[in-house]
Amino acid sequence: MLDAQNLVKSYPSAGRRLEVLRGVSLHMAARESVALTGESGSGKSTLLHLLGCLDTPDAGRISLQDTVLHDLDETGRAAMRRSRIAVIFQQLNLIPSLTVAQNLSFQARLAERFDADWTAELTDRLGLADLLDRYPEQLSGGQQQRVAIGRAVALRPEVVLADEPTGNLDEATADTVLDLMLDLARDSGAAFLMVTHSPRLAARLDRRLHLEKGRIV
Amino acid sequence: MNRTAFLALLSHWRRHPVQLVTLCVGLMLATALWSGVQAVNAEARASYDRAAADLGQTPLRRLTGDGPVPIAEFVALRRAGWLVSPVIEGDLPLATDSLRLIGVDPLTTPPRPGLEPLLEGGDALPRFLSVDGLMIVAPETAPLLDGPGLPPHIQSAQVPPGTALVDFRLAQRLLGRDGVDHLLVAREQPMGLPPLSEVTDLTLTEDQAGGDLAQLTRSFHLNLTAFGLLAFAVGLFIVQSAIGLAFEQRRSAIRTLRALGVPLRRLMALLAAELLALATLSGLAGIALGYVIAAALLPGVAATLRGLYGAEVSGQLGFDPLWAVSALAISLLGAAAAGAQSLWRVSQMPILSPAQPRAWARASQRAILTQLAVAVALLALSGALAFWGGSLVAGFACLAALLIGAALALPALLLGLLALLQRAPRGVLGEWLLADARQQVPPLSLALMALLLALAANIGVGTMVGSFRDTFTGWLDQRLAAELYVTARDPAEAEDLRAYLEPRADALLPIWSVDLPLRGAPAEVFGIVDHATYRDNWPLLDAVPDVWDRVADGTGVLINEQLARREDIALGARLEITPDWQLPVAGVYSDYGNTRGQAITGIDALSQRFPDRPRLRYAVRLPSYQVSEVQTALRADFGLPEANAIDQSAVKRFSLDVFDRTFLVSEALNVLTLGVAAFAMLTSLLSLSGLRLPQLAPVWALGLTPRRLAIFEVARTVLLALLTCLLAIPLGLALAWVLLNIVNVEAFGWRLPMTLFPADWIWLALWATLAALAACLWPVLRLTRLPAADLLRVFANER
């Protein structure tokens, strides 16, 4: 389903290029959940950004089903983000000017795949029914993350990518949020890749990949 | 410690150079527009002082008669020992303009500015007194005098522009008049003189004219000052926006400095010193720019003052150090006012406050409601002043309350309008656009207020000038009903002209007048014949039923609107024209462009009381196809100068030209204010562009390209500008109403009907859109070129 081969990525840093990814390859099947772990600066977020069409590799190939991603221009990458790949970040996930209800349906409506019944079910399962008219700033961190998860799966994407989605949450809340993500990703048929520092959370996923100095070990 | 802490604070500007430029340019523009207007005002006042020091304005005593004062009277008084000196004044038409001639006798006149060259020895005095004569003029007048037929001239900066000092005999010859206008009477006279009444029948009057020009033009300069203040306020919006943002972004630095042991008071002093240094530099640059603006505006102001009041103002700008110092002081005060709120916030900030910059100026709903309550109170005050004010100062206070109140109400009104728009059906991106626009209202509110004020000033002043022009054009059509206006050079020629024109014209209407004080102020009284020209066309505002019969038989008088309003004279009230001649007011007519009082009665009644007034002017009614032919004949047969036989269309053209020049300065200031408002928007958008990333990055991550985001940014800015423009229309019309019905009435004495110009609003909306586009172009271009890494940094966990 999602396939990446020999991904290389470097950034300019203090007058020279810093190699963040040095030939990373991975494959994910539908409904599979994968944890991506590694120390700070190992390239976890960079890999997630490349897979999420948020950035482009210097070299290597990425494909989703039959679509080659690494060759896409900005418009093509934006279309992928809009309709096939959903990304959940640790913070600043939501659009501050929109209510919870508007945030929840935003991406699905953007992709013209809004399903009112599915969104209503998500609202119930995420426990957001009483918060629909609130704005992001009026929510707790856990509540905000639940809205971000709902928005991602409301789209019924093929891949859900999460970049330390529970990093700001306490253990109990983090467990609840992860349960929800896994359940909903499975129910929507999506592959799920999560970047995390927590071995405890990583152990709950189907598979674990460890990044070290830009390589999967 | 001071140096280290100060350098740490200053390092902010190195990282945010655009913010530094914004702050400095904002303050520079504010200072420049304010000080530019003040320089223009100061130059005009200096010109009035020079004019006041001249003959016509000196508070001397003078002897006048019912008509020209014969030279024999002068000779008789001198022989009796009285120190008197003759003066004759008049306008000499030139090819493109006219020259004010002041004829004096250099040997008997009291010392006066402009005649100094005659006292310096050399041949100036003999030439001045010679048959060929010599004119003394201001340097800026000299280029107008190169035509043939004029006496030679020398220059003196002490003579008001547009004026020439000549020997009174030469003035008589050039003006084609006998006698002189009056005799100046020196304050100090020899002892033992016979009483004046034994020597002459002339009337002794105290000259009250001193400072007339300054008095007349006070409202104009107040207007100009108000415009300068408006521009200054708009500039300060920029400054406050930049200072506020800088303080917010330095919250973490300020907290760290305090944590490291820099006392709060020291920190406040350093921040104030930084502001003082920046304000001084920007203020100095603003003064230089203000001087350039003043030099550019001054010719326009001079044209305005000449057109409105006949006041001559030098077109050359001097440099007054006092002006520069006061401009710098106002710049520093402005910076202090703009920075006070931020300094106060720093003083109140707990040492353990969150270091993350808050979305700056993001007012809470409660703050916006408080602002709205203040706005409502100010608008109520404005309304109260409009209806119960009754003075020019109250008029301007009404304007100020209206503008500040409306500006304060703007955020709440915009939020309301956007909420209304959100109710309409729309797509998901439309929904986001409107929600995002609502979120941007508080941080952009200062720039939007500046735009609102600039647009409202444009609509208000445009409506006033347009209404004035419409009314003035219609009024000219009524008032200038005659086809030809002829002025003879002397009474004999007047008789000849009359004899020539009578058989050729449908009607020959004398225009004879006497300068008299009415209710203590200088005024003119005209005598007219009974004719359909007046009955059918004269622009009466109010009249008794048989007004023209009463005027014709000399049992009633018409007065102009200015006199009626100033002296509160109602129909039927008795007006004293001379101590033994009082007439009931039979009608009031509009008389735009004239600041003096005016009265009209039957010509027989006037002639009977003033039999010796020269009767030189006639309005000639004749078929329009004959006008050119008669004009040509008058020039050929009588040698009448072009200016002495003017057709109706030429007078109208001239009047409208004067009118248009009169409002050139207002238009220039309008454009400048709109420019400053556009700059305020640019600086706000630039300042906010860094804070926008966290708001835009999630939408980008959800699949919108930077290009589409940029389009939405433009749409949002234009939407806010257009909504502001929409709100500026009623505000501008309210402003025009106050200008037309309160300020004009108090300042000039006439009330004008208000005309609406919707086409202008569409143009202004277009300009507002262009200003908004220009303002958001740079921030939006930056957005489209933003690397993905910058957007991703927003989500980075390991920042």
Side-chain angles (χ1 to χ4, degrees):
Chain A
M1 187 186 197
L2 179 65
D3 190 64
Q5 296 295 326
N6 296 316
L7 295 181
V8 174
K9 184 69 181 178
S10 61
Y11 292 108
S13 173
R16 59 190 188 88
R17 292 201 75 79
L18 177 67
E19 278 210 319
V20 182
L21 296 179
R22 306 173 181 202
V24 172
S25 299
L26 67 86
H27 180 84
M28 285 180 70
R31 295 177 194 269
E32 187 185 16
S33 63
V34 177
L36 186 60
T37 58
E39 292 180 358
S40 295
S42 60
K44 304 182 299 293
S45 293
T46 303
L47 177 58
L48 186 128
H49 293 159
L50 298 185
L51 297 175
C53 287
L54 292 161
D55 207 350
T56 52
D58 297 341
R61 301 173 52 80
I62 312 171
S63 59
L64 177 61
Q65 305 280 41
D66 299 330
T67 311
V68 174
L69 304 186
H70 60 271
D71 279 346
L72 292 174
D73 60 7
E74 174 55 36
T75 309
R77 288 199 303 278
M80 291 302 292
R81 296 198 300 268
R82 203 159 53 232
S83 55
R84 295 179 68 183
I85 302 172
V87 185
I88 303 166
F89 297 100
Q90 180 180 338
Q91 57 189 358
L92 292 164
N93 263 304
L94 304 179
I95 299 168
S97 53
L98 298 181
T99 60
V100 167
Q102 289 169 326
N103 264 294
L104 264 177
S105 61
F106 189 80
Q107 193 168 8
R109 290 171 68 193
L110 209 56
E112 296 179 352
R113 287 219 300 270
F114 177 63
D115 180 340
D117 293 339
W118 174 230
T119 309
E121 185 186 331
L122 286 174
T123 306
D124 280 344
R125 288 175 68 179
L126 290 163
L128 297 172
D130 294 336
L131 307 174
L132 290 176
D133 292 332
R134 294 203 188 169
Y135 284 89
E137 66 188 17
Q138 296 166 318
L139 302 180
S140 69
Q143 288 170 333
Q144 287 193 24
Q145 267 326 29
R146 279 190 274 152
V147 179
I149 293 163
R151 185 183 64 194
V153 291
L155 175 70
R156 291 187 192 276
E158 292 164 54
V159 181
V160 174
L161 304 172
D163 190 0
E164 294 200 55
T166 58
N168 282 341
L169 308 178
D170 60 69
E171 252 184 32
T173 312
D175 283 337
T176 311
V177 166
L178 180 60
D179 288 343
L180 277 168
M181 275 193 290
L182 287 169
D183 282 354
L184 292 172
R186 272 189 207 109
D187 290 356
S188 65
F192 180 67
L193 175 73
M194 180 175 77
V195 168
T196 181
H197 276 294
S198 164
R200 191 178 61 79
L201 292 178
R204 297 186 52 198
L205 273 63
D206 298 340
R207 193 151 57 97
R208 179 175 168 180
L209 297 174
H210 187 72
L211 263 179
E212 198 173 298
K213 293 180 181 173
R215 288 195 176 89
I216 288 182
V217 292
Chain B
M1 180 171 75
N2 282 346
R3 186 170 177 272
T4 311
F6 197 52
L7 288 176
L9 286 173
L10 285 182
S11 65
H12 171 82
W13 302 114
R14 202 167 54 240
R15 296 292 309 278
H16 299 89
V18 174
Q19 214 174 79
L20 178 64
V21 170
T22 295
L23 170 61
C24 293
V25 171
L27 197 52
M28 185 181 80
L29 283 178
T31 311
L33 285 176
W34 167 258
S35 61
V37 164
Q38 290 311 308
V40 166
N41 280 347
E43 187 59 44
R45 287 195 193 103
S47 288
Y48 305 150
D49 289 346
R50 270 193 281 165
D54 192 81
L55 285 179
Q57 302 281 307
T58 314
L60 291 171
R61 295 178 301 168
R62 53 171 69 179
L63 284 166
T64 53
D66 291 340
V69 177
I71 291 299
E73 293 278 357
F74 166 59
V75 174
L77 281 159
R78 291 295 297 193
R79 283 190 177 152
W82 279 91
L83 300 179
V84 292
S85 184
V87 177
I88 177 171
E89 295 182 40
D91 289 329
L92 182 66
L94 301 177
T96 55
D97 212 330
S98 66
L99 181 69
R100 185 80 184 153
L101 277 186
I102 300 179
V104 299
D105 176 22
L107 303 176
T108 58
T109 186
R112 58 179 50 83
L115 292 179
E116 294 82 359
L118 304 183
L119 307 174
E120 292 167 359
D123 63 348
L125 184 60
R127 285 175 66 200
F128 193 82
L129 292 169
S130 69
V131 177
D132 290 341
L134 182 69
M135 296 196 289
I136 307 176
V137 296
E140 47 266 63
T141 314
L144 302 173
L145 308 176
D146 290 339
L150 287 173
H153 58 265
I154 56 173
Q155 295 177 14
S156 166
Q158 298 302 312
V159 179
T163 301
L165 289 176
V166 293
D167 180 62
F168 77 96
R169 284 162 285 250
L170 177 63
Q172 283 178 321
R173 202 167 68 241
L174 290 171
L175 297 171
R177 279 152 53 177
D178 291 325
V180 293
D181 289 338
H182 58 262
L183 300 175
L184 285 177
V185 184
R187 289 264 168 211
E188 301 295 326
Q189 296 286 344
M191 301 288 284
L193 293 177
L196 268 178
S197 54
E198 287 180 15
V199 188
T200 179
D201 292 331
L202 297 174
T203 314
L204 182 68
T205 55
E206 293 286 339
D207 194 338
Q208 300 297 321
D212 260 4
L213 278 180
Q215 199 62 32
L216 277 174
T217 55
R218 196 171 62 95
S219 55
F220 173 82
H221 291 294
L222 201 56
N223 240 323
L224 215 56
T225 304
F227 243 122
L229 204 56
L230 182 66
F232 186 65
V234 169
L236 283 192
F237 282 145
I238 303 173
V239 179
Q240 196 191 10
S241 167
I243 292 176
L245 184 67
F247 276 118
E248 281 300 327
Q249 287 181 339
R250 288 194 287 187
R251 285 168 77 94
S252 65
I254 289 166
R255 192 191 66 159
T256 308
L257 283 171
R258 286 189 64 194
L260 292 175
V262 180
L264 179 62
R265 280 189 180 181
R266 183 78 56 89
L267 206 52
M268 300 276 293
L270 290 175
L271 286 168
E274 176 198 71
L275 189 58
L276 179 73
L278 290 175
T280 306
L281 288 174
S282 312
L284 288 172
I287 290 169
L289 183 63
Y291 188 83
V292 173
I293 289 175
L297 285 181
L298 196 58
V301 172
T304 300
L305 290 166
R306 195 180 302 125
L308 267 181
Y309 308 100
E312 289 294 343
V313 171
S314 164
Q316 291 173 339
L317 189 66
F319 182 83
D320 182 358
L322 195 63
W323 161 78
V325 170
S326 63
L328 188 60
I330 199 96
S331 164
L332 296 179
L333 279 176
Q341 190 190 11
S342 298
L343 279 170
W344 183 81
R345 271 198 216 158
V346 170
S347 72
Q348 300 299 308
M349 192 173 79
I351 193 165
L352 292 177
S353 71
Q356 285 291 326
R358 294 182 299 133
W360 181 72
R362 186 172 155 186
S364 67
Q365 202 172 4
R366 196 175 161 188
I368 287 179
L369 286 177
T370 309
Q371 207 169 302
L372 183 64
V374 175
V376 169
L378 279 170
L379 292 174
L381 172 69
S382 174
L385 285 167
F387 289 102
W388 295 296
S391 72
L392 189 60
V393 172
F396 277 107
C398 166
L399 275 184
L402 174 69
L403 290 174
I404 297 169
L408 287 177
L410 181 68
L413 292 174
L414 281 177
L415 289 175
L417 281 177
L418 287 167
L420 279 179
L421 285 176
Q422 276 182 305
R423 289 185 187 169
R426 68 224 163 254
V428 60
L429 288 175
E431 198 172 79
W432 170 66
L433 176 77
L434 291 173
D436 189 52
R438 287 192 72 183
Q439 198 181 38
Q440 289 307 300
V441 167
L444 276 178
S445 62
L446 282 175
L448 291 171
M449 285 178 194
L451 185 67
L452 177 82
L453 293 181
L455 290 173
N458 266 275
I459 292 171
V461 175
T463 303
M464 183 197 75
V465 174
S467 300
F468 198 174
R469 200 177 198 286
D470 268 11
T471 311
F472 187 64
T473 311
W475 173 80
L476 276 180
D477 287 341
Q478 289 180 307
R479 186 85 181 243
L480 298 173
E483 285 73 20
L484 189 65
Y485 293 86
V486 177
T487 308
R489 286 165 290 188
D490 55 57
E493 187 176 64
E495 279 307 311
D496 293 344
L497 285 173
R498 185 189 178 97
Y500 176 83
L501 287 168
E502 243 168 3
R504 290 169 175 80
D506 292 341
L508 201 56
L509 311 172
I511 308 174
W512 297 340
S513 68
V514 185
D515 285 352
L516 284 174
L518 290 177
R519 300 270 172 115
E524 277 176 300
V525 181
F526 282 82
I528 59 171
V529 292
D530 185 13
H531 193 266
T533 299
Y534 301 110
R535 287 178 180 264
D536 298 344
N537 297 302
W538 204 253
L540 289 178
L541 296 172
D542 198 5
V544 297
D546 53 349
V547 51
W548 291 109
D549 295 334
R550 290 191 182 208
V551 170
D553 63 19
T555 58
V557 63
L558 297 174
I559 59 173
N560 65 358
E561 188 185 2
Q562 293 83 310
L563 181 60
R565 286 192 190 281
R566 193 175 62 227
E567 298 300 325
D568 199 15
I569 304 174
L571 284 187
R574 294 191 76 79
L575 178 72
E576 182 185 295
I577 300 171
T578 60
D580 58 344
W581 188 23
Q582 296 181 352
L583 288 175
V585 173
V588 178
Y589 58 94
S590 55
D591 187 21
Y592 306 119
N594 179 15
T595 49
R596 299 174 73 189
Q598 205 177 78
I600 295 174
T601 187
I603 196 162
D604 295 337
L606 187 76
S607 303
Q608 199 180 330
R609 283 168 175 82
F610 299 94
D612 299 328
R613 291 303 298 176
R615 300 167 180 190
L616 304 175
R617 287 201 76 198
Y618 290 94
V620 188
R621 300 302 312 260
L622 74 172
S624 52
Y625 62 85
Q626 282 185 0
V627 172
S628 175
E629 181 191 328
V630 171
Q631 262 180 312
T632 311
L634 287 173
R635 283 171 206 151
D637 297 352
F638 292 87
L640 214 54
E642 204 169 324
N644 288 37
I646 310 174
D647 63 80
Q648 181 199 71
S649 61
V651 179
K652 281 182 186 167
R653 204 166 47 242
F654 175 77
S655 302
L656 286 175
D657 183 46
V658 167
F659 181 91
D660 288 340
R661 275 189 296 148
T662 296
F663 290 101
L664 275 179
V665 179
S666 302
E667 284 166 19
L669 283 173
N670 260 342
V671 172
L672 283 174
T673 312
L674 195 57
V676 174
F679 186 74
M681 278 198 81
L682 167 70
T683 55
S684 288
L685 291 172
L686 272 178
S687 303
L688 287 173
S689 60
L691 298 177
R692 286 286 287 155
L693 279 189
Q695 291 156 7
L696 295 177
V699 188
W700 168 78
L702 293 177
L704 248 66
T705 59
R707 193 166 161 271
R708 283 191 82 188
L709 277 180
I711 291 169
F712 278 103
E713 282 292 277
V714 171
R716 183 181 54 83
T717 310
V718 168
L719 174 70
L720 288 175
L722 282 178
L723 288 179
T724 304
C725 190
L726 193 69
L727 293 170
I729 293 172
L731 176 62
L733 294 181
L735 176 68
W737 187 89
V738 175
L739 285 171
L740 289 169
N741 290 281
I742 300 173
V743 174
N744 267 355
V745 175
E746 296 296 338
F748 303 111
W750 60 70
R751 190 189 295 271
L752 296 160
M754 189 159 124
T755 316
L756 302 184
F757 302 92
D760 288 359
W761 308 341
I762 294 169
W763 272 110
L764 201 62
L766 202 63
W767 278 112
T769 307
L770 282 176
L773 279 176
C776 70
L777 199 62
W778 188 9
V780 161
L781 274 178
R782 280 193 355 175
L783 181 64
T784 56
R785 290 171 185 175
L786 207 59
D790 284 2
L791 284 158
L792 285 171
R793 201 169 294 132
V794 170
F795 305 111
N797 303 330
E798 290 148 11
R799 281 180 290 181

